[in-house]
């Protein structure tokens, strides 16, 4: 009997453990898992909340509303005063069509369901603001966004503009866009439009970066073989690797090129030689240092830009294609703006963000931006050498269309071959080169040469933004 | 001392009744236009509860009043949730509660005398096997498991009764503390477990098996058997995962319900949404959405409760269940004879494991298996049989006390 009692106590001890584990898990669940579940788009309770709550307003950096709720009669209506330029970025929230864009990513905040401090909830109830969601302030400059959007003139493409010092997103344009107000009248048209206006190309569009990727090839080569700066490369105008012939653009003559000329006129054949000198491993790790192959953990969903590791044996063709940004490399316009940012900031990589702050109905401000130490991914001396070369591209190379009188612009063009027709026109750059205030990447799909088609868009965006800084 | 305890019990049962009146009054306020109907429910419940309390206190000498108070407290919370979900289910369930109370008193009284009669353990084993085989032969399938028998308008889950006969079988067989033939005993336990698996009642199979392990370990102090039993269960689980589709579905729904939210993950995800919505303090009675949770009246009643009563309410409920298990263990420790100690331990273990299995399942701590939450889930078999089990515990306690007082 004594042993039986002892065993019974052991079993009771196990039960103590089991029941305590239930309570501990439930505490953990309530404290940590809760937020994610409440905001899940599968959660039907959110729509109930939507009926009771006045959804918060989304403002741009200067307090201009971009998504607002108005009450017409007794019906709440979501309006989008920004119009077409903002559709893919802001998205929509509609009971019938679901949610997209920032309206989706910020749904929990806009409905105010993320607040879990019971004291705050109680205060909100007492002050009568419990039925209001939080307001969101973006880093976007809505005038810059509208200007940039109109520069696309309806062509398919995208643009991302960043503040090189902080990573704040100044404009995030996807063209063609759409006006999310009165969605029910145009839904079918938007859905069936072959240009796919519902997609945010700036964050979700994955394009071959073409020659704009040569910035990374150059960085890899300069880091591993600094002597190439003084080297002279001969090219017959084409290069043949394992039977595959890659040519230079038509207006490039065969002959001797130094690094500056090769970059300025974007010689593919010379950059294939430079890529070979850097080697597949260096090129690959430099691309990762610039942010490729890493999921961008920021406040909006961004597709991951990828560069597969070139095989170390028999990967000559792949390495050659990678060196000039063709082949299997895919990048979002936002990622390419980050590439410009790294050079502009003297070798620092920062995470871009679009949310400046969130303001609760009680007036409390929450910062969503996690302060992070910028990662140094490139030596400043190397970044400055590349910057000097990029300045020459705009001064007297392929990037001339982006030239601005009185302001030094640094840039790189790209004309990315793709299976859908004419080349995608790329331009990535920043200005002013001495003290960069804005870093931009733009792509115009199937438009042809990068300098002529994407260059002027970037030029106007830079000019507009730098002027607005002057007038402030 | 006794008087002081009695005063505490009296206060506790009055507080329970008060909680009921407040809760049902809130439900009255929630109905538009105002309807006193929920309050009639409160009156009906407290009448039955007080009658049961009075009777147990006066008929059953040397009983443990806490068992009745705790179980009634939980039953009332279940009834409040049921009224909230579906008033028609409430009306049926309150009858089951009344029947349960009656069964509790009867089983308490009968067991007190019956324990003196020695019964061959194989009678209990035969009863267990017959009960578990019945639904396989002429049962109906419900919620994926074939463990129900339909009789006219009533359906009945024989495995609920088998829980009691199975515990009594093991307690009787192992009262000497020695195993005659380990092969034979394992065969008998496995036969019971396999019958439950054939009915696709995985939760039930696990409950019976683990309870058997607990009783065998307590009776024989054989750590090696307990370890081997656990290892065998682990191996069987791995084989089950690869061999049976329905096992795999449950495990996958547990590991990653987000892979298929509209399909296999649906139940558990809706349950988690409800608990998440409740947060620390709950949405408040009548303010949640139990209708979004599938099987909320039966398997998932804990999730519905958590949504409206919050983490605080849910944790408190777990503590109340724990107290019930604790009382059972205490009765086992105070028993004068090893058969009674083992039977009480078996019943307490069955309760404890069942509570852990279903609560752990709906909060996604462990894979979800469809067992009922005793005293709370909607259903007559579970309610009445839970009360009978509790009555047996009470009877064991009385038999111990009786001798003490007589001697």
């Amino acid at each position: 009997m004594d042993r039986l009692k002892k065993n019974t106590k052991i079993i009771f001890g196990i039960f103590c453990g089991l029941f305590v584990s239930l309570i501990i898990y439930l505490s953990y669940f309530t404290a940590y898992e809760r937020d994610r579940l409440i905001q899940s788009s599968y959660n039907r309770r959110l729509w109930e909340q939507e009926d009771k709550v006045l959804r918060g307003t989304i403002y741009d950096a200067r307090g201009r509303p971009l998504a607002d709720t108005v009450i017409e009669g007794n019906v709440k209506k979501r309006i989008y005063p920004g119009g077409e330029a903002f559709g893919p970025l802001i998205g929509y929230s509609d009971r019938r069509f679901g949610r997209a864009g920032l309206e989706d990513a910020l749904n929990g905040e806009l409905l105010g369901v993320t607040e879990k401090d019971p004291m705050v909830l109680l205060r909100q109830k007492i002050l009568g603001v419990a039925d209001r969601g939080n307001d969101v302030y973006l880093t976007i400059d809505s005038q810059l966004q509208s200007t940039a959007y109109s520069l696309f003139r309806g062509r398919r493409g995208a643009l991302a503009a960043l503040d090189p010092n902080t990573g704040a997103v100044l404009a995030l344009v996807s063209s063609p866009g759409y006006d999310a107000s009165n969605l029910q009248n145009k839904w079918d048209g938007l859905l069936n439009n072959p240009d796919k206006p519902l997609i945010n190309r700036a964050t979700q569009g994955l394009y071959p970066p073409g020659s704009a990727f040569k910035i990374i090839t150059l960085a890899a080569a300069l880091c591993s073989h600094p002597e190439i700066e003084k080297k002279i490369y001969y090219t017959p105008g084409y290069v043949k690797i394992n039977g595959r012939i890659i040519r230079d653009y038509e207006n490039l003559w065969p002959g001797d090129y130094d690094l500056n000329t090769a970059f300025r006129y974007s010689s593919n054949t010379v950059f294939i030689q430079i890529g070979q000198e850097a080697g597949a491993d260096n090129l690959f790790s430099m691309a990762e240092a610039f942010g490729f192959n890493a999921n961008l953990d920021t406040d909006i969903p961004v597709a991951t830009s990828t560069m597969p590791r070139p095989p170390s044996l028999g990967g000559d063709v792949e390495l050659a294609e990678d060196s000039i940004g063709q082949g299997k490399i895919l990048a979002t316009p936002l990622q390419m703006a980050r590439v410009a940012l790294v050079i502009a900031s003297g070798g620092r990589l920062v995470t871009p963000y679009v949310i400046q702050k969130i303001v609760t109905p009680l007036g409390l401000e929450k910062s969503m931006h996690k302060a992070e130490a910028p990662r140094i991914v490139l030596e400043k001396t190397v970044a400055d050498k590349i910057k000097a070369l990029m300045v020459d591209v705009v001064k007297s190379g392929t990037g001339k269309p982006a030239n601005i009188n009185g302001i030094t612009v640094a840039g790189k063009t790209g004309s990315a071959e793709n299976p859908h027709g004419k080349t995608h026109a790329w331009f990535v750059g920043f200005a002013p080169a001495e003290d960069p205030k804005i870093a931009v990447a733009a792509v115009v799909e199937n438009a042809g040469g990068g300098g002529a088609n994407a260059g002027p868009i970037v030029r106007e965006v830079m000019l507009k933004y730098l002027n607005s800084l002057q007038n402030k | 001392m006794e008087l002081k305890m009695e005063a505490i019990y009296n206060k506790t049962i009055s507080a329970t009744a008060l909680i009921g009146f407040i809760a049902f009054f809130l439900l009255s306020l929630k109905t538009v236009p105002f309807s006193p109907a929920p309050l009639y429910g409160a009156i009906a419940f407290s009448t039955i509860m007080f009658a049961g309390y009075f009777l147990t206190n006066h008929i059953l000498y040397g009983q443990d009043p806490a068992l009745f108070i705790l179980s009634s407290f939980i039953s009332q919370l279940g009834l409040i949730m049921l009224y909230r979900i579906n008033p028609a289910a409430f009306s049926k369930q309150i009858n089951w509660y009344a029947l349960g109370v009656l069964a509790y008193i009867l089983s308490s009284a009968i067991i007190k005398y019956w324990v003196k009669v020695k019964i061959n353990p194989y009678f209990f084993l035969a009863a267990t096997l017959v009960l578990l085989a019945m639904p396989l032969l002429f049962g109906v399938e419900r919620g994926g498991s074939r463990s129900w028998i339909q009789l006219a308008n009533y359906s009945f889950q024989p495995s609920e009764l088998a829980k009691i006969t199975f515990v009594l079988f093991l307690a009787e067989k192992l009262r000497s503390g020695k195993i005659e033939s380990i092969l034979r005993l394992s065969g008998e336990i496995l036969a019971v477990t396999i019958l439950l698996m054939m009915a696709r009642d995985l939760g039930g199979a696990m409950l019976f098996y683990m309870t058997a392990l607990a009783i065998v370990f307590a009776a024989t102090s054989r750590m090696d058997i307990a370890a081997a039993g656990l290892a065998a269960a682990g191996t069987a689980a791995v084989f089950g995962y690869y061999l049976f589709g329905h096992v795999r579905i449950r495990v996958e729904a547990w590991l990653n319900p987000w892979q298929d939210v509209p399909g296999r993950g649906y139940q558990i995800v809706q349950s988690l949404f409800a608990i998440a919505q409740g947060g620390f303090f709950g949405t408040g009675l009548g303010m949640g959405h139990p209708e979004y949770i599938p099987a909320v009246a039966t398997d998932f009643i804990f999730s519905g409760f958590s949504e409206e009563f919050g983490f605080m309410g849910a944790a408190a409920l777990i503590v109340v269940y724990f107290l019930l298990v604790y009382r059972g263990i205490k009765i086992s420790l105070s028993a004068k004879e090893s058969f009674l100690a083992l039977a009480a331990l078996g019943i307490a273990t069955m309760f404890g494991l069942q509570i852990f299995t279903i609560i752990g399942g709906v909060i996604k701590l462990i894979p979800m298996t469809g067992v009922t939450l005793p005293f709370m889930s909607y259903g007559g078999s579970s309610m009445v049989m839970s009360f009978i089990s509790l009555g047996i515990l009470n009877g064991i306690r009385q038999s111990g006390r009786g001798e003490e007082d007589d001697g």
Side-chain angles (χ1 to χ4, degrees), chain A residues 5 7 25 34 37 45 48, chain B residues 218 221 276 292 307 333 363:
Chain A
K5 283 192 176 149
N7 297 340
Y25 183 78
R34 214 188 140 212
L37 285 163
R45 286 167 183 78
E48 303 288 330
Chain B
S221 307
Y292 289 171
E307 177 173 11
L333 288 173
I363 67 176

Side-chain angles (χ1 to χ4, degrees), chain A residues 141-162:
Chain A
D141 178 332
S142 63
Q143 286 181 350
L144 188 67
Q145 173 100 0
S146 299
T147 306
Y149 179 75
S150 62
L151 290 167
F152 279 88
R153 300 194 313 269
R155 287 173 293 174
R156 279 172 287 125
L159 176 143
L162 306 174

Side-chain angles (χ1 to χ4, degrees), chain A residues 432-447:
Chain A
E434 307 79 35
D435 178 20
K437 297 279 185 233
I438 179 169
V440 191
V443 62
V444 189
E445 288 180 23
N446 307 116

Side-chain angles (χ1 to χ4, degrees), chain B residues 18 33 145 165 186 200 202 265 280 283 378 380 383 396:
Chain B
L18 183 65
S145 73
T165 55
S186 339
R200 292 198 167 188
L202 295 175
F280 279 100
T283 58
Y378 174 64
M383 178 66 104
I396 293 171

Side-chain angles (χ1 to χ4, degrees), chain A residues 1 3-5 7-8 11-12 15-16 18 22 25-27 29-30 34 37-38 40 42-45 48 118, chain B residues 214 217-218 221 258 261 272-274 276-277 279 281 289 292 307 311 326 333 335 342 349 352-353 356 360 363:
Chain A
M1 274 303 269
R3 298 192 64 175
L4 171 57
K5 283 192 176 149
N7 297 340
T8 305
I11 292 171
F12 180 63
F15 273 117
C16 292
L18 289 180
L22 284 180
Y25 183 78
L26 209 53
S27 321
F29 179 88
T30 313
R34 214 188 140 212
L37 285 163
I38 286 183
S40 162
Y42 290 114
N43 195 339
R44 290 159 70 188
R45 286 167 183 78
E48 303 288 330
Chain B
F217 166 70
S221 307
W258 301 101
V261 174
L272 293 178
F273 283 155
Q277 190 68 32
F281 296 97
H289 288 284
Y292 289 171
E307 177 173 11
F311 168 79
Y326 164 73
L333 288 173
L342 288 175
T349 305
L353 282 177
F356 175 78
I363 67 176

Side-chain angles (χ1 to χ4, degrees), chain A residues 376-452:
Chain A
I376 306 216
V377 295
L378 201 62
E379 273 176 51
K380 188 161 189 315
T381 51
V382 176
D384 286 346
K385 276 177 200 163
I386 299 174
K387 187 192 279 188
L389 290 173
M390 286 172 73
V391 169
D392 287 345
V393 167
V394 177
K395 206 179 278 168
S396 58
T398 53
K400 264 193 226 163
N403 195 23
I404 303 174
N405 266 343
I407 296 170
T408 331
V409 176
K412 181 72 192 85
T413 56
S415 307
E417 286 169 26
N418 65 83
H420 307 292
K422 279 211 283 186
T423 55
H424 293 326
W426 274 101
F427 191 95
V428 307
F430 53 89
E434 307 79 35
D435 178 20
K437 297 279 185 233
I438 179 169
V440 191
V443 62
V444 189
E445 288 180 23
N446 307 116

Side-chain angles (χ1 to χ4, degrees), chain A residues 3 10 64 71 97 154 178 194 232-233 260 272 297 302 355 413 426 462 472:
Chain A
R3 298 192 64 175
I10 293 175
R64 287 176 284 240
I71 299 174
F97 308 117
Y178 61 95
I232 303 292
Y233 294 88
N260 185 305
I272 287 169
D297 179 23
V302 181
I355 299 166
T413 56
W426 274 101
M462 286 173 169
K472 216 165 35 180

